[in-house]
Each structure stands twice: as structure tokens, then as C-alpha cells.
Amino acid sequence: MSIAPDLDPYRLPLPTPDTPIVLPHLVTAEAEHAHLNGRYGAAIWPLAALTENPSSSKHAIHWNTCPAAFRDELRLAAWTMINGELRPAFLAERGTGLRSRLGLAALADTIRQWIHLAIWLNSRGIDSLAACGTSVLHDYGLHLSRQDRGRGSTCKILSAVTRLWAFDNLSARPAGIGRPPWDEFGADDYLPAASSSSGGENTTEPLAAETMGPLLVWAMRMVDDFADDILAAWAETQRLKAAARSNPATPAGEAALHAYLDPLITGMAPLPTTTSLGRLTLARSYVGGMTGASNSQIGRFSQRNDLKAAVARRPGPCPLNVPVTGQINGAPWREALDFNDATNLMRHLGTAAFVVCSYLTGMRPGEVLGLRTGCCPDPEPDEHGSIGRHLIRGNEYKNSTDEHGNHRSAGTERDVPWVAITPVVNAIRVLERMVPNGCLLFDHNAHDLYNNRPGTGSLKHSALGERIEAFIAWANAEAAARGLSDQLIPPDPHGRVGPQRFRRSLAWHIARRPNGLVALAIQYGHLRSSFVSEGYASRSRGGIHDLIDIETVRAVADTVADLRDGLHSGEGISGPAARRVIKAAARATSFEGTTITARTAQRLIANEDVMIYDNPQAFVLCHYKRAQALCHRDDVKDTPSLDHCVPGCGNIVRTDRHATGLRDRADVLDKRATHAPQPVGDRLRARAGRLRALAGGHDLTRITLQEPSA
């Protein structure tokens, strides 16, 4: 039944049991999950119709988890919040970042917090929101402050209760819950003490280089070396299965079946086997596809020859008629592709492509999962015939808002596209072969090969976490079987390799491994120049740029602390910038007690006096001064290009530990020279001599903290 709204545009009419959970004007025709809308009277409310983000979870509210006494009141408030919005005057009075409408995940979590409040009220003998006045909410706030949760989490719960009070007042039948005291007097009395951590992805631990390096090697190997074989094996497997399902029972099929299986039976050879419900069985689809025999013919043949018992004694492979072109260390990676392995390999190929795209672009997981075919076209030559970089165009979701500051679930196309280096382009091209044209690159219908679940959208974050762990286990089994102990992927010290950790890891490695690059040698140098170049980063300081700034400042803070400790223990330093580094390290307090956020990172990077960069591969420190930096030829940048460190630069400093490292490296080169041909050995020995000369020069010119620094 349609009820005309009253004169207040913010007060919605009373819903009926058949009213849609999400009103039609809030469901766009293009929404991935628009068809999942439900009715007000249902016990479960699907909320997926609210989002156009293909990777978002399909949240639902289960009203049976709410105490019965509060169900009707909270359902009305929830429906009002889903379809309405807070008054501008309400928002203006508070002067905070409170939004008039919430995104899907925040909306679902807010309703769940209302249910938690109802459960707490029910435990105290309160059975209506009208009986939950300000004094009761004061007690609830104190109850929350005593829980083992962070300040940010508690603040979100308090905000959820405030939103309940606000939308109850906007509903067609207000229940009468009281005003939360923290809305009137502030929330400090109900919050635990603030911690030094800012939370979010900035506190996500980066993956250790020892883990990320071989993981990236195997991911790129899957994409670059094995993809053609895997895709061909998958296509052949699907062809065989389709043929087996449609084969009619013909004399020719019967004859081919006998010609194929009789020699294996009489010769006591292994039989084509698969696993079904945990038991070995004859691979009927494979046999049917290979011979043209019908399923009934294969069944009768199997029964007559007792193949069930024979297969258990002599299980064999199901080789595909597909050439093997991929190699590992110059040898084919498989003797033959197997019918039973095709699905698993396709799953791992999709996972490998995600790892490459996620880690080597700096995208958030949801941004990768939102990409579609055609997102990375080959660049056209310009008027001079020069070919530019590959660029990826797609949507950003996390910080996407409309003109009112409310979250846009469909995301918005980035003004600044992502830069795609060659491994990423290769991964996207592989994904475009895995999904239909115009689809999401990680469309779950193409990638959910085992559990063909209904619905739309992409793979989900949780599923990708499981797939990455499975891929690591597969890669380690492959490495162990081939004796490639140096390519095993060790466990990360901080736990599972979740998809959200790649972005932070990229920023960490760019900031801290300018030359000792994980798996890709100079590619990181190219990545940094791509991310912070004038053509891309100057238009936006969001996303990966902020993370790189934060990681750069954290790395500098560690360098300054180590340098200061070394100087106080008598360590000496040398180089053109030695005296000013002693001053900077002795007085550097900029990092102490500072929570490193994107804003503080940008401020510190702009302060040349405090920024001292470590370049462990070149055995130097860099006290970066833009005016005299030799690593930048044609332009001026806020940070050094440590992968282009130039001897003789006026910013260079060397410590006693660097001198020791130079001598150790020289010893290694001398040992290598003894086993190398003469021309190569001569070059290695000459290089070792130059390194020892640098160390000797340091010894002659070193100064310490105790010496005059003026």
C-alpha cells in the first residue's frame, strides 16, 4: 500500500509487511545485487541491494537474534535509517564528520549494535525503548567503557546509539528512547584512554621480504610462464566434460572404449582415476571425453571388469592432449597437464594474478576486485610515435562520497589512473582470458570453480585470504618436489598473508629496500618514480602516496635512532654531510612521541634538516638536500632516488658499520673471483679493491660525536 508522505520530507510513512526493505529509488538498475531486495515483514533482511561495490559482502540482518520485546521498535528504526537520512540541522549542530546516510557495512554494523543494546537492556529487565532513558544510556556507556575494546571501536558504538535516538525521532511511530548523554555532554567519560596507534591500514604489518619475495616469484611465474598451459588445460578439460555429458551410446563409442581400456586392464597398467567423495574412482568424464563412449556404456564396462577394485589398486593419471610450454629453470614444469589438476591450477592462476595486481599497483583489495575487462588498454603512440605507460582505470570505493559527503557504494572513477608495469599488464591480460568480455576480472562466476554459488559480484576478501594460503601451500609443494629450497615461501612472522597486507608491503619495500628489491630488481625504482612522478602524484596525495610517505618517515625514524645510538657509543662517520648529520642526529626530536600519519609524514619529509635516509645496499646514509642531490638530474623532488645514488654527492654519509660492510662485501667478491674465469675474476677483484679503498678512506676521515662539529 502506498502512503503519501507528510509535509516533513525527513519523516517517512509507516511501512507495511510488504514494503521493500530498500525503497526503489535507492536501488539503481545497474546495482550488482539489486535483485536481492526483501520485504519489511521478513525475518531476515538482505541489505545487498544497497551496494554496487562488486566485492562487498552481502550483509543481512537476522531479526531472530534480537529480543522479541524490541523487535518491532528496532525494525522500524532500522527501516527508517536504511531509507531516510538525518536532517542537515542535526548534522550542523554537532559539527562533526557524522554522515546523513551510512554505507552498507557501517549500516549493518550499526543495526547489530542496536541489537546488542537491546540484549543488554533485556538482561536488566527493560523491555521497551521508551524505558531506556538518558540515565539508562549513561549506565550503558559506562558498561561499554569497561569492555576490552579500543577507543575507536567504543566511539563507533556510542555513535550507533546516537543514530538510533536520531532515527527513532524521525520514524513514523517513535518509540521514545532517551537522548544519549554523550551526545549532549561529550563522549570522553565513556571512552577508554587514547592509544598511540591511529588504527586502520597504517597499522597493518607489512609482509616480510623473506615471505613476499618468493611469493611474488611464484605468482609471476604462474602468470608469465604457466598461464598458457593452464588455460589450454582448462579449455580441454571443459571440452572433455561437455562431450562426456552429451555422448550418445553408439557402436563406435563402445569400440573406442574397449580400444582404450582393454590394453590397460590386460597389461595391469594404471587406470585413469579421479577422486569422488574422498574415494578413488574411474575418471568417467575423462574416459567419455577421450573415447566418445556414453556414461551408460562406461558404467556397464566398469561393472563387467570390476574397475572399482582395479582403480583402487592401480590409480593412474588423466593426461591431457595439451602441449607443455612452461618451464622452471630450463626444464618443463610438467610432463603432462592432468584432467584432475586443471581446476586447481585455474584457481591458483587467478590467485597469482590477484597477488601481482594488488602488490605491484598499490590498489586496495576492493579496487582490484572492482576492475573489469578493458580497464588497461594498450597505450596509443603520441604524435612523436612514443608509447607511454600502461594505465589502469577503475573505481575507488573506500573514500568515495557524493556531493553531500555520504558514501557512494558504486565508487567513483579515479581522477588519477594507476600505473601498470609489465607484470601487472600480463596479469590483467591473463584475467581477461579467464572471464567473459565486459565482466569483472575477478567475477565469482568465473573464479568459483568448485562451489558455483548463485549471485553476482566478485570474489570476496575472505575467500581471497583462503586462496592465497592455498597458493602458498601449492607453491611450496612444487618447490620442495624440485629441490628449490631457495624458492620456498616461509611463514610471515605476523601471520596469514591476507589481501589487505600487499598494499602496505609495497609502500614498506619502496621506502626501505631501494636497491635490495624484492624479486623484481629495478622495478621498484620504476614504481616509485611512477607513483610520485609529476604526471601522476602531483594531482592527488591520496592512496599509496600517503602510505609511501608514512613508511618513508618510519624508516627515517629508525635510521636516525640507530645513528644516534651509534654516535653516543663512539661510532664514527665520514663523508661530505658528516658534520651536519651529527648536528641533525644529536638534536633530532621530531620523531619522538609522534604518531606518524599522512599529514605528519608530509610535514617531516618537507623538513630537510631531520630526514636522514639509509641506503644499505650502497653502504651510505643520505642527508638529503634537494639543491645538491646528484640522484635527480632534471627535476627536484622531496625525497632522494636511493636506487640512483651517485658517489661524490654532497649528501652522502658513511658510518663505521658501512665501512665494515664494504670490507665484508669485498671478501665475498674475492672468494667469487677465485672460482671465476680470469676476465670475470679480474673485474671482481678490482671491484673488491675499490670497496676496500672506500672503507680505508672512511677510516682516515671519520669524525665522532666528541669531536668539534663546527
Side-chain angles (χ1 to χ4, degrees), residues 20 71 154 158 206 290 322 419 463-464 487 497 504 546 571 585 592 646-647:
R71 239 170 252 169
T154 305
L158 296 177
M290 294 291 287
V322 171
V419 178
L464 275 167
Q487 295 183 27
V497 183
R504 172 76 189 282
D546 290 341
E571 184 174 26
E592 295 178 357
V646 179

Side-chain angles (χ1 to χ4, degrees), residues 468-533:
I468 292 168
E469 291 298 313
F471 176 70
I472 290 172
W474 175 86
N476 281 339
E478 293 285 319
R482 290 166 172 77
L484 303 175
S485 58
D486 60 325
Q487 295 183 27
L488 290 169
I489 306 170
D492 184 81
H494 297 286
R496 286 167 58 92
V497 183
Q500 72 279 2
R501 297 181 67 188
F502 291 122
R503 174 179 157 84
R504 172 76 189 282
S505 301
L506 174 63
W508 190 94
H509 286 118
I510 287 175
R512 295 177 183 255
R513 294 292 185 269
N515 294 313
L517 312 172
V518 177
L520 282 185
I522 65 169
Q523 290 287 10
Y524 284 141
H526 175 60
L527 274 174
R528 176 155 203 152
S529 66
S530 298
F531 289 143
V532 300
S533 68

Side-chain angles (χ1 to χ4, degrees), residues 249-315:
T250 65
E254 183 80 26
L257 179 64
H258 280 274
Y260 177 53
L261 288 180
D262 283 347
L264 300 179
I265 294 170
T266 58
M268 301 296 289
L271 296 165
T273 305
T274 191
T275 302
S276 177
L277 300 176
R279 295 195 298 263
L280 294 175
T281 184
L282 183 71
R284 292 193 178 192
S285 293
Y286 173 76
V287 172
M290 294 291 287
T291 64
S294 69
N295 191 53
S296 60
Q297 288 173 322
I298 297 171
R300 288 192 296 270
F301 184 95
S302 175
Q303 189 172 11
R304 286 196 307 268
N305 292 276
D306 194 18
L307 293 191
K308 181 177 181 180
V311 161
R313 293 191 300 268
R314 303 192 309 277

Side-chain angles (χ1 to χ4, degrees), residues 616-617 619 660-670 687 691:
Q617 299 299 315
F619 299 104
T660 299
L662 288 168
R663 292 189 173 93
D664 290 342
R665 176 72 63 83
D667 291 342
V668 171
L669 293 176
D670 280 339
R687 172 64 177 155
L691 295 181

Side-chain angles (χ1 to χ4, degrees), residues 555-565 584-585 588-589 591 610-612:
V556 168
D558 292 342
T559 298
V560 171
D562 290 344
L563 177 62
R564 190 165 51 191
D565 291 344
T589 58
F591 305 103
V610 302
M611 298 300 286
I612 303 172

Side-chain angles (χ1 to χ4, degrees), residues 64-78:
N64 62 349
T65 63
C66 178
F70 292 92
R71 239 170 252 169
D72 288 344
E73 294 175 333
L74 290 185
R75 284 162 74 97
L76 180 56

